[in-house]
Amino acid sequence: QVQLVQSGAEVKKPGASVKISCKTSGYTFTIGHYIHWVRQAPGQGLEWMAWINPNTGGTKYAEKFQGRVTLTRDTSTNTAGMELSSLRSDDTAVYYCAREDNWLRSLDYWGQGTLVTVSS
Amino acid sequence: QSVLTQPPSVSGVPGQRVTISCTGSNSNIGAGYDVHWYQQLPGTAPKRLIYGNINRPSGVPDRFSGSRSGTSASLVITGLQAEDEADYYCQSYDSSLSGSGVFGGGTKLTVL
């Protein structure tokens, strides 16, 4: 079965960077399914951040995160990664990776989420 | 402010029918991008509920249905049940944002 398993919670100081991993299994990582990253601040809604094409490494970032977010993928371990730099307190959120289906572009499988807390 | 607009909250009693709207513009829903809906129970990751405007994944009860018309989409829940109490989000893509993904602000459904 398809699974996306994310790395554990992080606590970071303002100005630092955080990297979250998303290990996939149950399907062919490099065929047909982009990986998206979505975040949710405490008590707030979902916010789309970016996607990566695991086959080519091509990426698309939301304008808001341009220059601060970097997506990566490791085809040897079927793992996607998201690094967010220059952290601020308002980056405190749960970060999700999600797989895009290869037909209508919905997000059909989600990781369990990774809480990132930014605090001095 | 979200690109897609949803009512912050809706409510209903068990057995009732409720509708959650998702209003976009000519650069997203109106441009032909499909609308997808997600259900998020407290403390859990979102779960795909409706995809491609009208399609239900296997395992999702047929009490849930979706539609799209013009620059808007709707999620309808019939025969409301207590377990439907959750947050619901619509999602699409936007050509004015170079194809970036966009979400609605979310709707909290309360079952009275």
Side-chain angles (χ1 to χ4, degrees):
Chain A
Q1 73 282 23
V2 174
Q3 287 191 306
L4 284 70
V5 179
Q6 298 181 223
S7 50
E10 303 266 9
V11 179
K12 296 291 183 180
K13 293 192 181 304
S17 297
V18 67
K19 185 164 185 179
I20 302 168
S21 66
C22 173
K23 183 167 177 60
T24 72
S25 61
Y27 73 102
T28 303
F29 182 60
T30 53
I31 297 179
H33 300 280
Y34 289 8
I35 295 292
H36 293 238
W37 291 85
V38 176
R39 77 176 186 180
Q40 185 171 36
Q44 302 301 308
L46 301 175
E47 180 176 28
W48 185 84
M49 297 179 68
W51 56 247
I52 186 167
N53 178 340
N55 183 35
T56 65
T59 54
K60 173 67 182 174
Y61 300 109
E63 188 173 341
K64 172 178 180 177
F65 298 105
Q66 284 276 3
R68 278 212 305 144
V69 169
T70 303
L71 298 191
T72 58
R73 94 286 192 211
D74 183 339
T75 57
S76 68
T77 61
N78 298 333
T79 300
M82 189 278 294
E83 182 171 19
L84 182 62
S85 63
S86 302
L87 289 169
R88 309 184 289 255
S89 58
D90 61 359
D91 290 318
T92 294
V94 175
Y95 291 77
Y96 295 100
C97 62
R99 190 187 83 159
E100 179 186 310
D101 75 56
N102 59 359
W103 179 33
L104 295 176
R105 304 200 65 198
S106 68
L107 304 180
D108 57 357
Y109 290 91
W110 293 66
Q112 82 277 19
T114 297
L115 174 62
V116 175
T117 303
V118 183
S119 173
S120 56
Chain B
Q1 264 64 343
S2 302
V3 173
L4 304 178
T5 300
Q6 298 180 233
S9 63
V10 297
S11 63
V13 297
Q16 194 173 13
R17 177 182 189 268
V18 297
T19 300
I20 298 173
S21 61
C22 175
T23 303
S25 67
N26 288 326
S27 62
N28 41 68
I29 300 174
Y33 286 102
D34 289 317
V35 177
H36 317 295
W37 292 90
Y38 304 90
Q39 178 192 59
Q40 187 177 34
L41 298 171
T44 69
K47 166 191 162 186
R48 188 178 65 164
L49 195 65
I50 297 287
Y51 66 100
N53 309 309
I54 61 171
N55 302 290
R56 270 179 293 105
S58 60
V60 172
D62 60 7
R63 303 185 294 102
F64 295 90
S65 62
S67 65
R68 181 186 78 175
S69 178
T71 59
S72 296
S74 294
L75 173 69
V76 174
I77 309 171
T78 57
L80 198 61
Q81 298 184 4
E83 68 215 45
D84 299 333
E85 186 161 295
D87 294 321
Y88 293 84
Y89 295 90
C90 58
Q91 182 252 319
S92 187
Y93 297 85
D94 195 294
S95 61
S96 71
L97 301 173
S98 302
S100 293
V102 289
F103 280 97
T107 299
K108 168 68 177 176
L109 169 62
T110 300
V111 180
L112 302 170

